[in-house]
Amino acid sequence: MVEYYPEIEILEMNHDQDHIHLLVSIPPKMTVGKVVGILKANTARHMKKKFPFLREVYWGTESIWSGGYFVSTVGANEAIVRKYIELQGS
């Protein structure tokens, strides 16, 4: 993804049992929805390549992700958000 979208920066990443948390920096020219779509499409493609059984589990669809997502802006609380992401799954 970095090769095609170098302006999208994943600053922090962690997961819980059934979801992931990302701290992402995106340029003002891109919408949040567009970036989420890019992230979901690229990760789904790579995961299906790495784990071929996912093609059978998610037959008939290109994605492995649900349609929804939660987004919040960080502003001056970036350190707090980073710490929250780091502690996921603990």
Side-chain angles (χ1 to χ4, degrees), residues 14-21 65 88-90:
N14 205 344
H15 63 88
D16 212 332
Q17 289 181 336
D18 63 352
H19 60 277
I20 62 170
H21 296 265
W65 302 111
Q88 292 307 298
S90 299

Side-chain angles (χ1 to χ4, degrees), residues 19-30:
H19 60 277
I20 62 170
H21 296 265
L22 300 172
L23 178 60
V24 181
S25 175
I26 65 173
K29 67 181 181 180
M30 297 181 84

Side-chain angles (χ1 to χ4, degrees), residues 28-40:
K29 67 181 181 180
M30 297 181 84
T31 66
V32 171
K34 174 74 173 171
V35 173
V36 170
I38 290 167
L39 291 170
K40 285 183 173 187

Side-chain angles (χ1 to χ4, degrees), residues 47-48 51-61 63-64:
M47 287 178 68
K48 284 181 173 183
F51 306 105
F53 75 91
L54 290 176
R55 292 190 183 282
E56 295 174 25
V57 175
Y58 294 95
W59 180 83
T61 180
S63 189
I64 61 172

